[in-house]
Amino acid sequence: MIDDIKKRSLHRARILEGQMRGLTKAIESEDYCMDIITQSRAIQRSLESLNRLLLENHLRTHVTDMFEHGGAERDQAVGELLKAFDFDGK
């Protein structure tokens, strides 16, 4: 994993842990529903941010190598990208 992306991904994951703890407490405390939904949506955006970082790392490392090798590896890379973007029909 690329060092900078790893550092940023771990930071994002730790933030997500805190957000999830806060969401759990809000549900347990029966906070106002719209406040819980707002917090849940913020978590979804944070997850998307993490996913972008992880995809960037995958593209810069594994996919690049797979395309250079060509053949079956290239086909695998294309399949993985389709899956990452939910275009694989699964």
Side-chain angles (χ1 to χ4, degrees), residues 7-56:
K7 180 181 175 182
R8 291 168 32 211
S9 295
L10 287 170
H11 177 73
R12 174 59 53 200
R14 289 180 184 114
I15 289 171
L16 277 159
E17 285 177 333
Q19 288 177 311
M20 287 300 299
R21 282 191 301 274
L23 180 64
T24 300
K25 288 179 186 177
I27 293 169
E28 289 173 344
S29 301
E30 298 182 16
D31 287 0
Y32 185 59
C33 293
M34 288 308 299
D35 292 341
I36 294 172
I37 291 168
T38 299
Q39 195 165 0
S40 175
R41 299 282 294 146
I43 291 168
Q44 288 175 323
R45 288 188 299 276
S46 293
L47 277 170
E48 285 301 318
S49 176
L50 176 59
N51 286 335
R52 277 190 300 275
L53 286 170
L54 297 173
L55 182 59
E56 178 184 352

